[in-house]
Amino acid sequence: MEILCCPECSAELKEENDALLCTGCGRRFQVESGIPLLYPEDLDREHLREEKKLGKEMITPSADRKVSVSGKEWERSKQEFWNYVQVQASSMEKGIFLNIGCGVDLGYLRLGRPGIILAGLDIVPQLIDHLREKGMDFGVAGSVHRLPVRENSFDALCCTDLVHHEWERAEMILARFHSILKPGGMLFLEDINAWGLGQFYKSILLPKNIHGTLRKLYHRVRGTENPPAEYEFPTSVFRIRKMMQELGFRDITAVPLESCPNSGRVFRRFYRLASRLPRVAEYHNFHYMLTARK
Ligand SMILES: [Zn+2]
């Protein structure tokens, strides 16, 4: 309760008959199997339904689904991310972590140890429930547009593969991340990089609408099972880094990444070679990983 607030007016919440009541605007929020549903009034319900459908597939993937080499590289990229966070966080004796858009990424749970509280936020309560069963301490359902958590509450924030869903709101989202961190708290951000070696000629050189149309066509012809949503767009590592600087984050670091998701064998070989240059490994991977301190 000390970290939660009303998504609408940011006032404190109090418990009342198995629900949470805002002490400011008076809105009531349901709690479902221990998970407060702190959605803002203007939540896109259609989007929530879509995400719930996807979430189901994430929890119980169809049995005949094969993990491609590219899928394995994707897994590896997550491992790299969590390995790095684990090392960075190892000096922390106690504290509260929040994983924003936690999904079903079990890598997060590796950070759990005595003194550390692992909290997760996602729009889909079923995903939070799944992570809680596996050992996450606490979860809250909400929207990244209006995070229902109080300022200066967290010792560390993790956020992977979310910003490209919200590229138009990136600055607002990063500003909110800054405000909910405690002074000195760490941000660990990973997302799809417009400047990735394999994608910059599309995401940087092509106008967004042409890129969008071509991408849609490509995935339709190919019959991709889970094509990227139309509202998604990779963000530039340089733009995000600049936003972080302007918001007052310090010690901003681009972490070099080895894995090479979403690519073929030949390109992977090319990336391995090119990424011997530190600048390529830091700024031109399929993903970028930026860390910073408040
Ligand atoms: Zn309120």
Side-chain angles (χ1 to χ4, degrees):
M1 286 298 281
E2 302 95 75
I3 56 167
L4 297 178
C5 71
C6 172
E8 225 58 66
C9 71
S10 302
E12 289 179 22
L13 303 170
K14 64 173 184 185
E15 283 175 75
E16 200 188 79
N17 305 334
D18 302 331
L20 295 179
L21 188 72
C22 173
T23 56
C25 67
R27 263 195 77 190
R28 279 179 79 82
F29 299 95
Q30 282 179 297
V31 179
E32 253 178 40
S33 28
I35 302 168
L37 309 182
L38 300 183
Y39 298 124
E41 199 98 56
D42 61 357
L43 179 77
D44 183 346
R45 298 280 160 182
E46 180 56 33
H47 179 67
L48 178 61
R49 264 192 295 276
E50 268 173 46
E51 291 286 333
K52 278 189 174 171
K53 220 169 80 190
L54 274 174
K56 224 178 210 169
E57 170 75 6
M58 282 161 88
I59 296 172
T60 44
S62 38
D64 56 350
R65 190 154 144 201
K66 277 189 233 136
V67 180
S68 61
V69 179
S70 175
K72 278 184 198 146
E73 281 291 303
W74 189 280
E75 283 295 307
R76 252 191 85 204
S77 81
K78 292 291 160 262
Q79 276 169 24
E80 266 189 280
F81 177 83
W82 293 116
N83 286 347
Y84 184 83
V85 179
Q86 201 170 16
V87 170
Q88 294 299 306
S90 61
S91 58
M92 210 184 274
E93 265 179 43
K94 58 186 174 75
I96 311 179
F97 273 69
L98 179 64
N99 187 2
I100 299 172
C102 59
V104 286
D105 192 344
L106 298 175
Y108 181 44
L109 305 179
R110 281 168 32 196
L111 306 179
R113 58 189 158 85
I116 300 289
I117 296 172
L118 296 183
L121 182 141
D122 204 282
I123 196 166
V124 183
Q126 287 78 2
L127 301 182
I128 298 169
D129 210 25
H130 183 73
L131 278 189
R132 273 199 337 178
E133 272 171 24
K134 306 274 181 195
M136 188 166 78
D137 297 298
F138 175 77
V140 53
S143 160
V144 71
H145 298 169
R146 282 172 192 265
L147 288 174
V149 289
R150 293 196 214 169
E151 292 183 1
N152 298 315
S153 298
F154 300 95
D155 298 276
L157 294 180
C158 309
C159 181
T160 64
D161 293 319
L162 181 137
V163 177
H164 70 283
H165 286 240
E166 303 286 347
W167 58 274
E168 286 176 295
R169 292 188 171 92
E171 192 160 5
M172 181 274 271
I173 287 172
L174 289 173
R176 187 78 178 115
F177 286 2
H178 189 268
S179 78
I180 64 175
L181 273 172
K182 290 181 190 168
M186 299 236 17
L187 170 65
F188 300 97
L189 186 74
E190 188 194 57
D191 220 283
I192 296 174
N193 186 7
W195 278 102
L197 276 189
Q199 54 258 38
F200 79 93
Y201 58 90
K202 299 173 283 186
S203 46
I204 297 292
L205 303 181
L206 283 181
K208 275 202 175 65
N209 52 349
I210 296 184
H211 177 237
T213 311
L214 289 176
R215 184 173 64 177
K216 207 157 76 183
L217 202 67
Y218 170 80
H219 287 291
R220 191 173 297 163
V221 170
R222 215 162 160 245
T224 312
E225 200 181 337
N226 289 313
E230 275 176 48
Y231 54 81
E232 291 179 25
F233 202 82
T235 44
S236 152
V237 57
F238 302 111
R239 229 184 107 232
I240 297 292
R241 192 187 59 180
K242 186 156 176 280
M243 278 180 201
M244 286 162 96
Q245 273 163 353
E246 286 168 357
L247 287 165
F249 279 103
R250 55 195 176 84
D251 304 341
I252 303 168
T253 309
V255 180
L257 294 169
E258 277 180 23
S259 55
C260 191
N262 278 36
S263 58
R265 198 163 47 95
V266 175
F267 182 82
R268 253 196 321 277
R269 206 175 278 167
F270 167 66
Y271 177 78
R272 297 253 190 278
L273 205 63
S275 64
R276 288 182 189 172
L277 294 169
R279 198 168 164 84
V280 171
E282 287 162 5
Y283 292 102
H284 299 286
N285 191 282
F286 177 80
H287 283 111
Y288 56 81
M289 177 171 179
L290 290 172
T291 69
R293 210 173 263 286
K294 175 171 174 178

PDB file of all heavy atoms in Angstrom, residues 6 8-11 22 24-26, ligand 1:
ATOM      1  N   CYS A   6      -3.590   6.175  -6.665  1.00  0.00           N
ATOM      2  CA  CYS A   6      -4.686   6.201  -7.640  1.00  0.00           C
ATOM      3  C   CYS A   6      -4.113   6.570  -9.020  1.00  0.00           C
ATOM      4  O   CYS A   6      -3.373   7.539  -9.148  1.00  0.00           O
ATOM      5  CB  CYS A   6      -5.706   7.229  -7.189  1.00  0.00           C
ATOM      6  SG  CYS A   6      -6.992   7.541  -8.398  1.00  0.00           S
ATOM      7  N   GLU A   8      -5.645   7.827 -11.373  1.00  0.00           N
ATOM      8  CA  GLU A   8      -6.359   8.994 -11.878  1.00  0.00           C
ATOM      9  C   GLU A   8      -5.828  10.286 -11.262  1.00  0.00           C
ATOM     10  O   GLU A   8      -5.507  11.227 -11.952  1.00  0.00           O
ATOM     11  CB  GLU A   8      -7.842   8.836 -11.517  1.00  0.00           C
ATOM     12  CG  GLU A   8      -8.783   9.166 -12.611  1.00  0.00           C
ATOM     13  CD  GLU A   8      -8.566   8.325 -13.868  1.00  0.00           C
ATOM     14  OE1 GLU A   8      -8.775   7.099 -13.840  1.00  0.00           O
ATOM     15  OE2 GLU A   8      -8.169   8.928 -14.867  1.00  0.00           O
ATOM     16  N   CYS A   9      -5.734  10.289  -9.914  1.00  0.00           N
ATOM     17  CA  CYS A   9      -5.419  11.558  -9.238  1.00  0.00           C
ATOM     18  C   CYS A   9      -4.177  11.445  -8.346  1.00  0.00           C
ATOM     19  O   CYS A   9      -3.815  12.406  -7.672  1.00  0.00           O
ATOM     20  CB  CYS A   9      -6.617  12.020  -8.407  1.00  0.00           C
ATOM     21  SG  CYS A   9      -6.886  11.011  -6.953  1.00  0.00           S
ATOM     22  N   SER A  10      -3.534  10.270  -8.344  1.00  0.00           N
ATOM     23  CA  SER A  10      -2.293  10.022  -7.588  1.00  0.00           C
ATOM     24  C   SER A  10      -2.456  10.098  -6.070  1.00  0.00           C
ATOM     25  O   SER A  10      -1.465  10.082  -5.346  1.00  0.00           O
ATOM     26  CB  SER A  10      -1.169  10.986  -8.008  1.00  0.00           C
ATOM     27  OG  SER A  10      -0.922  10.861  -9.371  1.00  0.00           O
ATOM     28  N   ALA A  11      -3.701  10.166  -5.578  1.00  0.00           N
ATOM     29  CA  ALA A  11      -3.903  10.200  -4.126  1.00  0.00           C
ATOM     30  C   ALA A  11      -3.697   8.802  -3.535  1.00  0.00           C
ATOM     31  O   ALA A  11      -3.673   7.809  -4.260  1.00  0.00           O
ATOM     32  CB  ALA A  11      -5.304  10.700  -3.807  1.00  0.00           C
ATOM     33  N   CYS A  22      -9.905   5.227  -3.459  1.00  0.00           N
ATOM     34  CA  CYS A  22      -9.034   6.398  -3.547  1.00  0.00           C
ATOM     35  C   CYS A  22      -9.490   7.446  -2.531  1.00  0.00           C
ATOM     36  O   CYS A  22     -10.668   7.788  -2.478  1.00  0.00           O
ATOM     37  CB  CYS A  22      -9.067   6.971  -4.957  1.00  0.00           C
ATOM     38  SG  CYS A  22      -8.159   8.522  -5.060  1.00  0.00           S
ATOM     39  N   GLY A  24      -8.669  10.438  -2.625  1.00  0.00           N
ATOM     40  CA  GLY A  24      -8.801  11.726  -3.308  1.00  0.00           C
ATOM     41  C   GLY A  24     -10.096  11.810  -4.097  1.00  0.00           C
ATOM     42  O   GLY A  24     -11.048  12.472  -3.696  1.00  0.00           O
ATOM     43  N   CYS A  25     -10.152  11.068  -5.222  1.00  0.00           N
ATOM     44  CA  CYS A  25     -11.306  11.195  -6.124  1.00  0.00           C
ATOM     45  C   CYS A  25     -12.431  10.216  -5.806  1.00  0.00           C
ATOM     46  O   CYS A  25     -13.505  10.280  -6.395  1.00  0.00           O
ATOM     47  CB  CYS A  25     -10.853  11.038  -7.572  1.00  0.00           C
ATOM     48  SG  CYS A  25     -10.259   9.381  -7.985  1.00  0.00           S
ATOM     49  N   GLY A  26     -12.176   9.278  -4.878  1.00  0.00           N
ATOM     50  CA  GLY A  26     -13.245   8.380  -4.446  1.00  0.00           C
ATOM     51  C   GLY A  26     -13.467   7.175  -5.356  1.00  0.00           C
ATOM     52  O   GLY A  26     -14.404   6.402  -5.131  1.00  0.00           O
TER      53      GLY A  26
HETATM   54 ZN    ZN B   1      -8.122   9.161  -7.196  1.00  0.00          ZN
END
